[in-house]
Amino acid sequence: MTHEHPSHWHEHPDGGGHEHGKAPAWKYDGVRVIPGNQLDPNTAQTPGMDRKAAINFARVGAQKLWAGTVSIHPDAKTGAHHHGHLESVIYVVRGRARMRWGEKLEFTAEAGPGDFIYVPPYVPHQEINASPTEVLECVLCRSDGQAVAVNLDIEPVEKPEQVLWVDPTHPNGAV
C-alpha cells in the first residue's frame, strides 16, 4: 500500500515528528484569518460598486474560490456584467438588494439581510441598492481563485448611475 502525502507537506524544521521526517506545514499553509480591515480593493470592478477581496489565489493561494465583500451606495445601480464561467453566491449582510438579469435585464428579484443570491455562469445581471438611504453590504463568493467581471454594453431596464467613492483604488472619488 502506497502512502502519499498531500503536496503541502514539507520537511519538518526539526526533522522529526511525522513519518519520514515530514510534516504538514499547517503553521504556514493551514488556516488563515484575513482581518476585515485588510481586504484588497485591487480586484475586478464594475461601475457602481466597490468589491474587495479577502480570499483569492494571490492572497492565500485559493485554487477554487474567491471571497470578499461588495458595497453599493444608496440608490446606486451597477452596470450590466457577468462573471464568465464562474458561479457566484451573494450573502446580504445589510440593506436591500435588487437583482436584474437576462439578455435585457428584464427579470428581477429582491433580497434582504440573511438572504443568499445565486448567479450562474455567464448570466448578464445588474446589482441595485433598493434603499435610498442605506448602504447595501454583501459577502461575495465565486467558484475560482481569480476574479472575473465582464462589463457588458447592453441597455439595462434600470439605468446605471455613476457613484463616487473614496478608497485606496479611487483616491480622488473617481468611478
Side-chain angles (χ1 to χ4, degrees):
M1 177 177 187
T2 324
H3 187 74
E4 294 186 25
H5 297 292
S7 61
H8 57 269
W9 283 52
H10 304 281
E11 289 292 329
H12 194 274
D14 64 9
H18 288 69
E19 183 180 343
H20 308 298
K22 295 192 179 222
W26 301 132
K27 180 175 182 178
Y28 306 105
D29 297 333
V31 173
R32 308 272 182 93
V33 174
I34 310 302
N37 64 355
Q38 294 179 17
L39 303 186
D40 184 3
N42 186 21
T43 187
Q45 298 292 336
T46 297
M49 66 177 12
D50 181 20
R51 288 188 191 102
K52 292 183 180 173
I55 308 297
N56 60 16
F57 180 77
R59 299 195 85 198
V60 300
Q63 298 287 319
K64 298 178 183 174
L65 62 88
W66 183 102
T69 61
V70 63
S71 297
I72 303 177
H73 292 255
D75 262 344
K77 301 167 181 69
T78 70
H81 61 283
H82 69 73
H83 300 288
H85 68 284
L86 306 182
E87 293 178 284
S88 298
V89 173
I90 302 166
Y91 175 76
V92 180
V93 175
R94 183 167 68 126
R96 189 93 191 137
R98 179 179 307 125
M99 296 293 290
R100 288 205 169 273
W101 71 94
E103 292 301 316
K104 297 192 185 298
L105 306 178
E106 64 271 28
F107 306 108
T108 187
E110 290 199 6
D115 293 340
F116 287 84
I117 301 165
Y118 171 68
V119 182
Y122 298 103
V123 172
H125 62 282
Q126 174 185 36
E127 286 98 344
I128 299 162
N129 184 339
S131 170
T133 59
E134 189 176 19
V135 172
L136 173 60
E137 294 180 6
C138 303
V139 172
L140 172 61
C141 296
R142 295 223 180 87
S143 60
D144 194 294
Q146 301 293 339
V148 175
V150 179
N151 295 318
L152 302 172
D153 188 20
I154 61 177
E155 191 66 26
V157 175
E158 295 192 40
K159 304 281 186 247
E161 296 175 11
Q162 270 204 333
V163 177
L164 302 181
W165 64 77
V166 178
D167 64 28
T169 305
H170 310 90
N172 299 318
V175 177

